[in-house]
Each structure stands twice: as structure tokens, then as C-alpha cells.
Amino acid sequence: YNEYKSYLRIAMLRRLVNTIGRSCNTSLKSCNGTQPVALIHKAALFEFSPSTVRCRHFSSVDKSLATALDGEIMHEQGSQPELPEISGFRSEVKGSVITLHKQHEDEDIQVYLDVNHMVELAPSDEDPEDMPPQYLPSFKISISKPQGKIMFYCNYHAQGMDTLDQFIISEVSFVEKGQDELTAFSTDFGNLDPGLIGEFEQYLERRGFGADFSTNLFSYASAFEHISYINFLKSVRKFI
């Protein structure tokens, strides 16, 4: 019985709203553009519905987020760097991945670096509070011939600011022709015989992977990460 009474109340309310609507439309035609009182009351009826209040609340939050994004974009653009050139390589950017290419005799050489995998360097006690965060990239070098390729997995270490922009090799592997590189055996580079380590390092230097390359790649990755962050902020701002 209570459910039936509730149904009747809802039906009566709907009929009342429809009646008001028809009355408003009729009055509107005869008022020469003046909004009738009934129409004002109907608008007020829906003005304070819970869904309207929620929408207005979210709109206010979105506006606050947009303002914060505008401020961050302006701040970051004030220190936006330019991408440096890396001599001897042509670069290709796809999303967060940087790929460098070059040819050396019959070898196809590529460098892959994903800025999403950069690791933030923990600040020291001597760093100023307003110092921007520093990120350390990791990358891999692929040297390919028809019979396969040798892979060097590299990163930048954080032991001493004087050598921060010089990469080290963490692992090395050989990938057979047609083999998935994820299934190839790799060995810790630091555990190799010191003489073999030196020969590998000279092997890379003859192909352009010396101190200058290391410094330029570090600067390139840092600048690209900064630019990617600004583009991220702009994309989110347009979305909001």
C-alpha cells in the first residue's frame, strides 16, 4: 500500500510539471517576450537539483586545475632548453622513445633511449631548495650485422657530479639472427676480465661512443624529458 501511495505521488508530480510546462508555453505566446512567472518557477525548480549542484562543483574544480596547469606551463617554459645535436647520428623521436641511427662500414648501429625509464637523482644536502630535479637516463646500443647483433645496456651513474654525464655499461649480450633479444644470454659487464672490458670500450669508441657522445646524449635526454613534460602539461590543459 505504501509503495502504491508513493507511485501516486510520483505520477501526480510528473503531471504537475507537465501542466506547468504547458501553461508556460501558452503564457509565453501571449506575453510578447516577457517570461511568465510560471516559467521562472519551473526554472527555479531545476536550478537547485542535486545533479546541478554537483556539476557546478566539478566545473569549479576543473577551472582550478586549468589555472594550476597554466601556471606550471608558464614556469616550465621559462627554462625550456633546446635539443642539442649528436654528431654523426640521425635522430628519430616517437612518443617517449629516442632512436639514434648511424652506419659504420657493414654495421647498422642504433641507440634506444626511453625517457619514461629515467631515474630521478636524489638531491644532496648541499643542493639549493629550488634546484630542479635531475634525471639519469638508461639506454641500449645495438650493433647489427647479417649474422646477428651485439647489445650493450648502459646507464649513467650518480657517483660524483664530475662524472655524472659519462655512461657506464652494465650488461652485454649477443643476439643470434632471428632471435628475440629478450631470450638472449647477457652477462654483467663489470664481471668481465679487465682486459676484455678495455677492448670492448675501445670497440665502442671506434664507432663514436666516446666521452663527447656520452655528454651530448645526457644533455639531449635531459632536454627531451623537459620538453616532453611541457607537452604533457599542454595536452592535459587542452583536455581539461
Side-chain angles (χ1 to χ4, degrees), residues 41-190:
H41 288 172
K42 184 180 179 182
L45 178 64
F46 293 101
E47 180 73 12
F48 299 102
S49 64
S51 62
T52 304
V53 173
R54 286 196 296 270
C55 288
R56 288 185 172 183
H57 173 70
F58 290 141
S59 177
S60 176
V61 171
D62 291 350
K63 185 177 180 181
S64 178
L65 174 57
T67 301
L69 287 167
D70 288 337
E72 181 70 356
I73 291 170
M74 183 176 297
H75 172 74
E76 293 296 331
Q77 284 182 328
S79 58
Q80 180 174 342
E82 294 185 2
L83 286 176
E85 294 185 0
I86 301 180
S87 178
F89 291 85
R90 67 182 189 276
S91 61
E92 178 184 344
V93 174
K94 186 175 182 180
S96 63
V97 178
I98 303 166
T99 305
L100 304 178
H101 304 262
K102 74 177 300 184
Q103 289 292 132
H104 178 77
E105 299 177 355
D106 63 338
E107 300 171 348
D108 179 52
I109 301 176
Q110 299 188 48
V111 179
Y112 305 93
L113 188 153
D114 190 341
V115 294
N116 283 341
H117 297 161
M118 296 174 70
V119 178
E120 183 176 357
L121 176 63
S124 66
D125 296 336
E126 299 177 357
D127 292 338
E129 294 184 359
D130 58 347
M131 182 177 179
Q134 180 71 67
Y135 296 93
L136 302 178
S138 59
F139 63 97
K140 61 183 178 180
I141 300 170
S142 170
I143 302 175
S144 302
K145 289 184 176 183
Q147 62 266 37
K149 58 185 177 181
I150 187 169
M151 306 284 298
F152 295 91
Y153 298 87
C154 312
N155 57 72
Y156 290 86
H157 60 91
Q159 298 186 9
M161 293 299 293
D162 294 338
T163 58
L164 185 62
D165 61 354
Q166 295 301 306
F167 73 86
I168 60 172
I169 304 170
S170 57
E171 294 182 357
V172 61
S173 68
F174 181 78
V175 183
E176 299 283 353
K177 181 180 179 181
Q179 183 182 15
D180 185 341
E181 65 183 60
L182 295 177
T183 66
F185 171 79
S186 63
T187 186
D188 189 310
F189 190 77

